[in-house]
Structure formats: C-alpha cells, structure tokens
Amino acid sequence: MSAVAARVQPTTTRRRAGRVSVWTSYVILLVVALVVVFADALAPYAPNKQDLDAILLPMSGEHWLGTDDLGRDVFSRMLVGTRVSVLAALLAVAISVVIGLPLGIAAGWLGGPTDLVVMRVVDAVMSFPAIVLAIGITATMGPDITTAMISVGIVMSPAILRLARAQTMAIRSETYIEAAKSFGARGLRRMVLPHVLPNIIQPVLVQVAVLMGFALIAEASLSFLQLGVQPPTASWGAVLSRAYTFLDQAPMQIFIPGIAIAATVFSFNIIGDEIQRLLDPKRK
C-alpha cells in the first residue's frame, strides 16, 4: 500500500464514522420528537396510576421497564417525562436567546458605555458556577419547573450574549457595513436586521443546539434535587431521582433515564457540529 493510500484510508474511515454518528443523532432526535408529540397515545398506562401490588417489579412483558416504588409503570412515565424534559429545555434555551441575542448585538454594535455595562453584568453572572447559580435562583423563588427553567435560561444567556457580541463586532468593521453607512443606512431596520442578524445566525444556531443539551442536564439535575418538576409529575430527572432512592432494590431502573439523557445530549452536540458544517460558507 502506498503512503498516499495509507493516509487516505484512516481519513475515509473517520469520515464514515462521523456520518454514522450524525445519522444516529438524527434518528434519536426524531424518536424524541415523536415521543414528545404522541406520548399520551404511546403510554400503555397512566403515568401517575399507582398499583401497590406491583411495587418495584423488574422488566417484563407487562411492564417493559418495570415499576417504581409506588407501582407506577416506568415506561409510561419515561414517555410522558420526555415531553416535560424537552419542553422545559426548549423554554430555557428560548429565554437565553431572547435575553442574550439582542443584548449581545447591542453591546457589539453600539460599543462604548453600553458594551461596558452589559459585559460587566455578564462577568458578574459568569463568576458563579452555572448550575449552582440556577439552584440558588430556583431555591429563592420556590421549586417549580417553570421557575427552574427561567433560572437556567438566565444562566445560559451569557453564552449567547458573548457570541452575538463577538460576531457583531467582527461584522461592524466589514467593508459592506461601511458602504451601507455611506449610502445613509442607519438604525435597527436598515442596518442590524438586514446586515448583522443574518450573518451571526449560523454560530447562534450551533450554540442553541449545544445549549439544548446543557438545558436537559440542568432540568434533570434540578428535578433530581426536587427543585424542578414536583410530584407526581414525571420527567427524566424525576424518574432518575426515584430510581436512585431505591438503587439497591431495583438497580436497573437508574440506567433508563440516564441513557435517555446521555443519548439526547450527545445527539444535540453532534447536530450542533453538523449545523456548523452545513452552514460554513467555506464548505465545498
């Protein structure tokens, strides 16, 4: 085998493995989306229906993923919990974009005192560990899934803000911006919306995909600590919390929500990389 062929073969193998991971991620997210929409129809039991004669049953044909400590069907609770977890993550990401994107564009475009004030606030928020700050805000405002996700959205907003600011500052010095100004273009409608926003949307979309994974982990963490969804509502974090309590009696049940969270977060990260590749203007 020639030296050129020896170099090409590992590259081709890596490329094929990358495409497999991308398509696997597509399939996982498609399944998650279908479950979010059709969870009630797919669940064989009511997610909160208790059966004290069927406590902590193992996996079987009747209960595919077993039952929890109150006799509730874990498979049904995972299906309905998928909707809660994903919608909660979407809420957090939406809040982070609503806060971070306009402030980032304003800081990058206006500069000066506006940039100084915004970035000092961002530095103050980022000086705390993200999940610790989210826990503190949630504990102060009261345990609730909506409150928890608003807290997570606020904590995640600096990631969008800093990215939007950096991209806006880079675009502000471009030649076509100077040309637009020379023709009298000013303000939000004539400058920011047509020239800045379309050119920063690619990295923002990539960041949104990554933040979806972080938001899912944050929801699971807060619900695990009983600061997110409240009983008897099901979510991946709530199912994980119940499974951990009875780990010695039903050890397999803790893997079910853990695998769901890990696979979905992995898929969002892979799709984020794929979005970056597809939207790259230098891509051949």
Side-chain angles (χ1 to χ4, degrees), residues 47-48 68-70 72-74 77-78 80-82 84-86 88 145 149 216-246 253-254 256-258 260-261:
N48 298 326
D68 64 7
D69 58 300
L70 296 176
R72 297 173 297 189
D73 183 64
V74 175
R77 289 182 63 77
M78 282 295 298
V80 176
T82 301
V84 175
S85 295
V86 172
I145 186 61
M149 290 301 102
L216 282 171
I217 295 175
E219 184 281 323
S221 301
L222 293 172
S223 295
F224 184 86
L225 297 172
Q226 299 181 1
L227 293 174
V229 297
Q230 298 301 300
T233 306
S235 76
W236 288 348
V239 175
L240 184 66
S241 179
R242 302 293 296 191
Y244 178 77
T245 303
F246 298 93
Q253 290 190 10
I254 200 169
I256 299 164
I261 294 168

Side-chain angles (χ1 to χ4, degrees), residues 28 32 59 65 78 216 236 240 251-267:
I28 291 173
V32 169
M59 299 178 184
L65 300 179
M78 282 295 298
L216 282 171
W236 288 348
L240 184 66
M252 288 301 297
Q253 290 190 10
I254 200 169
F255 292 102
I256 299 164
I259 292 172
I261 294 168
T264 308
V265 171
F266 166 82
S267 299

Side-chain angles (χ1 to χ4, degrees), residues 11-29 263 266-267 270-271 274 277:
T11 302
T12 304
T13 303
R14 287 195 299 268
R15 188 174 300 168
R16 288 176 179 173
R19 299 313 300 166
V20 169
S21 65
V22 169
W23 282 107
T24 302
S25 300
Y26 281 137
V27 171
I28 291 173
L29 294 183
F266 166 82
S267 299
I270 294 297
I271 295 304
E274 181 68 2
R277 187 185 72 84

